[in-house]
Amino acid sequence: MSPLVWRRIIWCYHLLFLAAVTWPGQEVIRSAKPFVFGLPLQMAWISAWILGSFVALWRLDSARTRAAGDRSLTDRPSGPGPGESRLPPGSPSGQDHG
Amino acid sequence: MDRHTLITVIVFAYLAMTLAVGLLAGRRASRTVQGYVAGDRNFGLLVMYFITGATVFSAFAFLGGPGWAYSRGAAAFYILSYGVLGMAPWYGMGPKAAALGRRFGFVTQSQLLVGRFPSRKLSALMAILTLVAFVPYVTIQMRGAGIVIEAVTGGRIPLAAGAAFAYGIVLVYVLARGVSAVGWTNTFQGVFMVTIAWALGIYLPYRLYGGVGPMFDHILAARPELLALPGLDGDGGPWSWGAYSSSIIVSAVGLTMWPHLFMKAFTAKSDDTIRRTVILFPTFQLFLIPVFLIGFAGVLFPESPEKSDFILPFLILRTDLPALVVGLFCAGALSASMSTGDALLHGAASVTVEDGVQPFLKLSDRARRRTIRVLVVAVGVVAYGFALNETSSLVDLLLASYGIICQFMPSLLAAMYWKRATTAGVVSGLVCGSVTAVFFFLFPELKPLGLHEGLLGLAVHVPVLLAVSWFGEPQSTRHASRFVDV
């Protein structure tokens, strides 16, 4: 999947995460039982969303790095990578305060 | 050597090590404002990971978190919920802010905002709001340090003297080495606090109840109201869903808006460092689980501390743990306080000089560094005064600060992503949002559904920003594009 698709997935995931841990989403997982690894269900529920976020962000980063690698193979020797400054630090225009 | 003396020696040895790490760090940083405030934009992944994690997890999490789990039960789960939600957008925003910092030479978030929306009033407003939000946050850290030292010395060193001593050390290394000292001490302290939290969070439930599951079984049987969401309020009555949910939203919106965190985007060596810090942040967030377990372990303990924020040291000192373990734990709690307090003192002083003074009085690089140092001490002294008199819980103090800090988010989003935003729109939104948040903070009985004052502030802020910008004179496309199309 492309970084763009992953970025959309990340957005959707974190909106669902927000809905799942606030009212009314969290009301569905309101009870402490059954315990999961000894933890109350609500606590395990929030922890599962946190772990999911780690996995989703890691997949996005892998996709982004792969895409950047592909681009650098086809574009070499072009300028800085995606997200990098278009001006080197310390360049005369780099001191411009707009 | 008696038990209290041995624990005290361990804690003081730890403080000496922190001071040494702080002073040894940053010897190679340049003697410029960029070196002092932004570490010459040279922090790698290890330092960025721990500086972010250790800065977010302060005395608020290490002492206030267990305090809330102990006294308010499931209400504490809001603290577990918001961190990752707040950090995830930083995957996109952080590298963009860093790129703008490199392009224009920004070292504070206000400089970024004022670069896009030129206004000295806006710069001064940001500096004032930052200081107003920072002082309670520094107060939390100082009280945390004082609580730990008072507890471990059996009251021989009172809270006031303990806080003064711990923050005396912080002042020495922040004044001497700036953000480089903050970065390396946070790395040292971060490793320490995570290790201690996990070890004790698993050990205490086993020691007192025979396991984590059995502990919650006991609590469910004796105090079921503690494990029912959304938990309890400060008076022991049920907390409202409105307050619980809005606390998560406001804290998530405000998390990366804290200047001492936002400014770290300007210290990173590369954009990938920022992105990977965000990816790894959830691993740090889960450190709250053992911290809460420690708080829950105190619920059915036969004795109670004077204040809920004391539950952690109270429990540790009464469970027959070896003095070495108790000393190390207390050092971990001090780490949590000092690793955030140093970043806050440094951030507050830097923002005040760079955004509140520099736009009005053009100081030389040397004079700016000197003024920042003077202000580090001044902010420390003011917060210390509050730390001695404060009566609210640590978590309540932080939640109040979030009401103001979350108002920065719409302005910074507008600066980086919306070409149609105008200076008038941003200033009006910021003023209206902040005034609304302060109003509901002062008159909490008027808050609808118990919603957090920060969320009510945002409900006013965003429409005002949109409307005033939309009906006002747009900025030149060329100027706006230099910030948005990065």
Side-chain angles (χ1 to χ4, degrees), chain B residues 2 7 11 15 32 50 89 120 122 149-150 156 175 181 238 249 282 293 347 351 376 398 401 408 466:
Chain B
D2 72 20
I7 295 170
V11 168
L15 288 174
T32 60
F50 279 107
R120 290 199 300 178
L122 178 60
I149 293 181
E150 180 177 310
R156 280 179 287 182
L175 289 175
I249 295 169
L293 294 181
V351 166
V376 164
L398 188 71
S401 303
F408 292 174
L466 294 174

Side-chain angles (χ1 to χ4, degrees), chain B residues 132-174:
Chain B
V132 169
F134 261 10
V135 169
Y137 206 173
V138 181
T139 301
I140 294 170
Q141 313 312 326
M142 287 191 171
R143 279 183 64 207
I147 285 171
V148 171
I149 293 181
E150 180 177 310
V152 297
T153 58
R156 280 179 287 182
I157 299 180
L159 190 150
F165 184 77
Y167 273 78
I169 288 173
V170 168
L171 282 179
V172 169
Y173 68 70
V174 172

